[in-house]
Structures are given as C-alpha cells and as structure tokens.
Amino acid sequence: MDDYLSEKEQIETVKTWIKSNWLSIVSGVGLGFLGLFSWNGYQDYSFNNKLDASLVFQDIFTLLQEDDLTEGKTLLDTLRDDFSDSPYTDYAGLLYASYLLTDALPQRAAEEINYVLNSTDDDYLKLMASWRLARVNVELQKFDEALTLVANKDHQLSANFKELEGDIYFFQGEAQKARDSYLSVLSDPNINMIDVNTLMLKINNLSLELI
C-alpha cells in the first residue's frame, strides 16, 4: 500500500509541476524560438528597409522589456503600417503576444497571434503562429480550436505539433490519447526541435497514471 501511495503522490507531483509551469514554458519571452525564422524570406528585403524595420523592432523590444505594453502596441501598429512586408513586423507581433501572456492577457495574445497568422506570407511563420495560437487556445480552454490548429503535422515543426497535441489531450483529461501523441514524437525526424527531457517527464507521468 505504501508503494502505491508513493506512486500516486509522484503522479500528482508531476501533474502539478506540468500544470504550474506549462504557461511559462509556452509564453517564453526570450527570442529563442522566434530566432528560428525563414532566413531565405528574410534575405529578400532591401538592406535599408530591413534596417529601418529592425530599429523599430528594437524599440518595441525595449518597451516590452520595460513592461510598457501601451507604447509597445503603438509602435507595433506603426511597424505594421510602414513595413507590412518586413519579417520584423511579424516577429514583433509574436513577441508582443508573448508579453501579453506574461501579463495574463491570453485573449489579447490570441488576437495578436491570429493577426500574424492571417497576414504573413512566410510558411514557417504560419507554422509558428499556429503553434503559439493553439497553446493560447488551450489556456483559454478552446481545446477543439487548438486541436484543429495542430492537425497538420507534415512539416518541419511536426515534433512540436505532436507534443502540443499531447498537451491538449492532457488538459482535456484524455490520458491515453495524450500519451500516444507524446510517444509519436520519439520517432519523429524533427525531435531535435523539442526538449526531450520534458517530453519524457510527460510520458512517464502518464505511464504511471495509466497503470
């Protein structure tokens, strides 16, 4: 009986950790994931246009770091008006959404990400925006919409989408479906795009729960 209780306590500890840390892992204000943009598309713009847009982007980044979301949004709108074709504009939108998430404003974050999703011509950015919007929809408990966003997994972010599908099922209470999605990541050729240690933590948690 003591062993059983120990396992149950371990399960609850892991589940609590995942739920407590999930949004902070998702929203990550840093530019790490944002840095994985389409370099070919980025190179198509003239040097001067890129430079001007990059300066506005840097100003937005500084304002957001100072938690000035109002002025950050004003500059973001300027960037969208003056440099609508620049990749900096799309990345500024995703960055602004990340800060909205850290301020517990998921609905506004969803609107900003959706703007990027519908305006960008960059296929990779569309994938990134879909991934982020799906995660915010989970925060908003819009699980069906989140699942629709990650339904297509035939691309270079396939591992990220499969793991996210598992997260969605996890928060829906579908333990077996969540575990199946997580396990499918292990054979995915793009597994290097995710944190495998966190993935294994999720798998082990659900394996214990399903015993």
Side-chain angles (χ1 to χ4, degrees):
M1 177 65 73
D2 289 341
D3 289 341
Y4 174 76
L5 289 176
S6 178
E7 282 191 358
K8 293 293 288 183
E9 290 169 356
Q10 181 180 0
I11 292 171
E12 291 306 315
T13 297
V14 175
K15 288 175 70 174
T16 299
W17 182 89
I18 291 175
K19 290 181 178 179
S20 298
N21 290 276
W22 186 79
L23 184 57
S24 63
I25 292 171
V26 172
S27 62
V29 171
L31 293 176
F33 198 83
L34 288 177
L36 301 172
F37 58 85
S38 171
W39 184 250
N40 290 333
Y42 173 81
Q43 289 179 314
D44 288 339
Y45 297 89
S46 68
F47 175 78
N48 288 335
N49 189 61
K50 287 189 296 184
L51 179 60
D52 291 342
S54 72
L55 291 175
V56 180
F57 178 90
Q58 290 173 28
D59 289 341
I60 293 172
F61 185 52
T62 299
L63 287 168
L64 295 178
Q65 285 185 309
E66 296 171 352
D67 202 29
D68 192 343
L69 296 183
T70 301
E71 284 302 314
K73 182 61 166 65
T74 298
L75 271 187
L76 174 59
D77 290 339
T78 298
L79 196 60
R80 285 171 172 167
D81 289 339
D82 298 342
F83 304 98
S84 59
D85 292 334
S86 171
Y88 281 107
T89 301
D90 296 324
Y91 286 100
L94 293 182
L95 181 64
Y96 179 65
S98 293
Y99 277 86
L100 289 173
L101 282 175
T102 63
D103 273 22
L105 297 168
Q107 184 58 54
R108 286 182 60 192
E111 292 168 2
E112 293 298 332
I113 299 170
N114 197 54
Y115 183 99
V116 175
L117 181 60
N118 291 323
S119 63
T120 185
D121 293 325
D122 187 301
D123 289 338
Y124 192 86
L125 259 176
K126 285 184 182 293
L127 291 175
M128 287 176 56
S130 295
W131 183 83
R132 285 176 172 261
L133 183 57
R135 305 215 72 142
V136 177
N137 278 337
V138 174
E139 179 68 13
L140 295 169
Q141 298 187 16
K142 297 180 179 180
F143 299 116
D144 290 339
E145 293 180 29
L147 284 172
T148 298
L149 285 164
V150 298
N152 173 28
K153 305 178 189 66
D154 185 20
H155 47 70
Q156 63 202 102
L157 294 184
S158 54
N160 302 78
F161 277 44
K162 289 175 183 177
E163 183 184 20
L164 177 49
E165 182 181 67
D167 292 342
I168 297 167
Y169 285 134
F170 174 83
F171 284 102
Q172 283 186 303
E174 298 276 2
Q176 185 60 61
K177 288 184 178 180
R179 184 172 180 272
D180 290 344
S181 293
Y182 291 146
L183 287 174
S184 71
V185 181
L186 297 178
S187 59
D188 192 285
N190 297 307
I191 192 173
N192 61 304
M193 297 291 287
I194 69 165
D195 183 341
V196 178
N197 290 329
T198 300
L199 174 68
M200 293 308 302
L201 181 65
K202 296 173 182 178
I203 292 173
N204 292 337
N205 166 49
L206 290 172
S207 295
L208 288 172
E209 186 172 344
L210 291 167
I211 291 177

